[in-house]
Amino acid sequence: MTTNRTFTMIKPDAVKNGHTGAILNDIIHAGFKIVAMKYVQLTEKQAKKFYEVHAERPFYMDLVNFMISGPIVAAVLEKDNAIEDFRKLIGATNPKDAAEGTIRNKYAESIEANAVHGSDSNENAAIESDLHFSMYERF
Ligand code: ATP
Ligand code: MG
């Protein structure tokens, strides 16, 4: 079964470092269509909710504070096999382990400030997209 949509965020480090355009270019050239997109700064409440699966991890509050430290670009992307292909395009969580040419390999600073988010399942892609976009904001 192929998945068609994923949800991504260009994280505050990559926005701050001026990589927004290059990352969007990589995403588009990899064959993803932009279904929805916005430039926003998350509130603490939103960031906590987004990463609540990690609430018990020692890095949780650091991660939340990082995610609200500046604006992000949120987007819904469409492509055959979107979840898996996008995870491949962004590379491993830790940029030190991310394959050559992946977005995290090229633009991430650290395991925390790792440039982009990509949904890990079809179900989570739908939940995450719904946190950020109404049906009227998807094209
Ligand atoms: P994301 O969900 O953001 O796409 P991921 O699925 O590759 O990343 P997760 O395990 O879901 O990785 O972790 C979520 C985020 O938490 C990571 O992207 C990273 O920003 C942060 N993180 C993960 N592990 C650590 C760690 N050991 N120390 C600090 N931050 C971490
Ligand atoms: Mg994840």
Side-chain angles (χ1 to χ4, degrees):
M1 165 62 188
T2 58
T3 55
N4 293 323
R5 287 187 177 186
T6 190
F7 173 80
T8 187
M9 288 185 285
I10 302 176
K11 296 185 181 183
D13 61 311
V15 171
K16 229 171 259 167
N17 292 330
H19 298 312
T20 301
I23 291 172
L24 288 175
N25 198 44
D26 283 2
I27 291 170
I28 291 163
H29 276 99
F32 291 88
K33 180 195 153 197
I34 295 172
V35 171
M37 185 161 70
K38 60 175 68 159
Y39 187 38
V40 288
Q41 186 156 3
L42 298 179
T43 64
E44 183 172 333
K45 199 173 171 184
Q46 285 174 313
K48 279 182 160 170
K49 173 91 193 140
F50 191 85
Y51 281 119
E52 74 181 350
V53 296
H54 297 302
E56 302 307 318
R57 309 286 289 277
F59 58 80
Y60 178 62
M61 277 317 296
D62 265 1
L63 175 61
V64 167
N65 285 323
F66 161 66
M67 287 304 296
I68 66 175
S69 67
I72 56 116
V73 175
V76 179
L77 305 172
E78 192 168 77
K79 183 184 183 296
D80 283 350
N81 207 34
I83 298 287
E84 201 183 320
D85 286 3
F86 194 72
R87 300 280 301 191
K88 250 183 230 156
L89 178 69
I90 69 180
T93 308
N94 188 341
K96 286 188 187 135
D97 303 326
E100 189 71 28
T102 57
I103 289 175
R104 283 171 170 163
N105 166 256
K106 291 195 283 184
Y107 307 116
E109 287 183 341
S110 67
I111 190 167
E112 179 181 80
N114 61 0
V116 277
H117 163 77
S119 304
D120 59 15
S121 67
N122 211 17
E123 190 195 359
N124 283 337
I127 293 169
E128 292 166 4
S129 300
D130 290 349
L131 287 174
H132 292 269
F133 298 101
S134 80
M135 63 182 283
Y136 302 108
E137 297 172 310
R138 304 176 201 208
F139 305 97

